[in-house]
Amino acid sequence: MSRARVLILNAALGPLDYRVPHDMRVEPGSIVIAPLGPRQLVGVVWEEDRFPDVEPVGDNRLRPLLNVLDVPPLPGPLRRLIEWTAHYYVAPPAAVLRMALASISALEGARTVIEYRPTGATPDRMTDQRTQALERIGVRQGLIRELALIGGVSDAVIRGLVKSGAFEPVEVSTDTPFPVPNPGYAPPALSEAQQAASSRFVEAIRAVDFQPFLLDGVTGSGKTEVYFEAIAEAIRQNRQTLVLLPEIALTEPFLERFEARFGTVPVSWHSGLRQSERRRAWRAIASGQAKVVVGARSALYLPYPQLGLIVVDEAHETSFKQEDGVHYHARDVAVMRGLMEKCPVILASATPAIETRHQVELGRYEEIKLPSRFGGAQMPDVIGLNLLTDPPERGRWIAPPLVKAMEETLKKGEQSLLFLNRRGYAPLTLCRHCGYRFQCPNCTAWMVEHRLTRRLACHHCGHVIPAPDICPECKEEDSLVPCGPGVERIADEVRALWPEARVAIVTSDTLWSPAKAAEFVKSVEAGAVDIIVGTQLVTKGYHFPNLTLVGVVDADLGLEGGDLRATERTFQQVMQVAGRAGRGEKPGRVFIQTRVPGAGVMQALISGDTEAFYTAETEQRRRAHAPPFGRFAAIIVSSEDSREAAETARLIGAAAPHVEGMHVYGPAPAPLAVLRGRHRHRLLVHATRQLDVQDILREWLGNVVWKSGTRVAVDIDPYSFV
Ligand code: ADP
Ligand code: ZN
């Protein structure tokens, strides 16, 4: 009798054995439907010896598989990657597998679906709901369910609009092939340094072998152009390329540049796709038809059968770290995938992470440098502004020298960018009469005022309340004052200084869709914006030749909280935003406002001595045995019941094994002590790199029992310490 070991999509269960019916053919990787109790679940057939600890079940007790799906089996290298991820990040294999099978509807076989699109006709009878739906949906197309979600109305409202002629059905085939990018479409003439870099990449792709690269080039050096040449070679070799970007907002400018170079856009993969788009992309990726895929970190686990190249752009970005579910770091897993697939991996950055530089030092990654900007553009002048000796006026945040520089820039008809990494108007609202502060009911966090939408919002859980007029505590009127600035408040200050200037606020609140991002880029390029005020969303990717002045409103902001990478992150962020200045023919200037101008990181930014900064920072990590020289792992215990959370954390702490080379700190209440209504406690494990911390953790936590409402998350190589 033939049997198969199957990993099913249920994170609570390991692999299970099934009987394979006579008329069914399966192989490792086959995607199947398996019975589980009364339910039917998707699963993947796995090599038996990969999970040796499965409880043996007698032949007579095996249940038969129900179906094999008509999609290509998950490739072997991907199965190895799933195993590695589950092991390294101490996660259930099924939770990792779920990321590979990210479109369940794609598994159902080829078909067409009916979507609806607006006709432009106005229904005879309008209601508030209908008006709202039509307004929010705009020109978008989608399933009834998707349109209802976008419109913020029920399915019935959309169906009513269809009946009244405001939407019409469209048949969409989810198997239409994607156009193949043309490697010879518009290749640029490369500079000498670019040519050398590109040749090395081309050579590595032809070698069809694992090779990690660090592409270390200053902002504006042409890193994108160079890795485009690598992509061109992969296309010529008929192999697939995956490009990972740190956030969706960067997808739009990327698509445009890609199209200009290759004559067509690549396939994109991110959380904003419609179901039919997701399905089409997944199937084209799995069949090998999609040649180039650009996406957020979730694109990493898709079933590419012929991966020839992986690019991680802005590889130092911490948003590559997933902070819930499987806590993986997409940059590190990308390198692992390259190893499994036997293909080159390019990590591109102007400010590489210390971990990555360390790999270069160890000789594991090959470093390719682009030391100067393309086309003779100069790096900007960086000027430190001491907020203690040159403070802004009371109630203002832009210091006089920066005001003067902005004035000059405006007069010349050039553009400025003010950077403050804080959304909204003010991070805290308090009552000056009784001292009441608006706090989120679900989180240990202040409610942030958003004046544009007249609301207070929690940036952790999304809880919102209408902007209040009176203090809820003492009922005093006109007593509420905003404390501290967010970008909206800086924009107000700019408008007060230059009422005629055209100001754009750029945050995830204003650039919430690819279309909005494209609109923003167009208006800056067309010269319709004088001053941009933005969060980290504007610090990377954009290339605006007429932007010649950058002001960092509060460079000290990122240093607060003092986690392991606070200094490094501040350095990277300011370097990135500074990199927006003077990218064209006109030279750029950067002003950095700080209260600690003497701090090493500020000195490095002002002098531009990157090497000195990295050397000092690396030395500090070495002395503290911090990553990359030692290893951290966090255990986060959370529960809606505060006593349960504390008690489970205590039990885990008490069960900690004594191991040479490992030290356990805590448990202690997390800095974010309550998040989304859950009480949180943390333990931090610090170990030498020689130890197999994962095995120790598995055994340790395996010996502790906790109640079902309590969650225990393991975070290997944590980036967040709250
Ligand atoms: P980086 O990614 O290193 O910041 P980019 O790839 O964005 O740099 O390049 C900066 C600008 O210079 C872009 O507008 C890009 O199109 C242009 N550029 C770079 N290299 C070339 C080249 N060889 N030919 C033409 N334009 C180039
Ligand atoms: Zn909250």
Side-chain angles (χ1 to χ4, degrees), residues 187-191 194 215 217-227 257 313-314 348-350 370 372-375 541-543 545 576 579-580 583:
L190 298 178
S191 72
Q194 290 177 340
L215 175 58
V218 297
T219 50
S221 57
K223 293 185 290 297
T224 317
E225 301 295 338
V226 168
Y227 74 65
R257 283 187 71 171
D313 204 351
E314 313 286 3
S349 173
L370 295 176
S372 51
R373 281 190 161 176
F374 176 75
Y542 295 113
H543 180 74
Q576 284 291 335
R580 297 314 104 199
R583 290 169 69 95

Side-chain angles (χ1 to χ4, degrees), residues 440-445 447 457-463 674-677:
C440 175
N442 314 318
C443 307
T444 316
M447 297 290 284
C458 170
H459 286 181
H460 292 283
C461 72
H463 178 73
V674 186
L675 178 62
R676 292 186 201 94

Side-chain angles (χ1 to χ4, degrees), residues 414-456:
E414 296 171 6
Q415 294 162 319
S416 314
L417 162 63
L418 291 180
F419 166 63
L420 176 68
N421 206 14
R422 212 191 253 143
R423 291 156 52 210
Y425 185 84
L428 166 67
T429 303
L430 63 75
C431 170
R432 94 184 115 208
H433 186 245
C434 74
Y436 178 85
R437 295 159 174 230
F438 285 84
Q439 194 184 342
C440 175
N442 314 318
C443 307
T444 316
W446 306 126
M447 297 290 284
V448 180
E449 181 185 355
H450 285 248
R451 206 159 271 197
L452 291 177
T453 50
R454 283 190 235 100
R455 295 197 293 198
L456 303 190

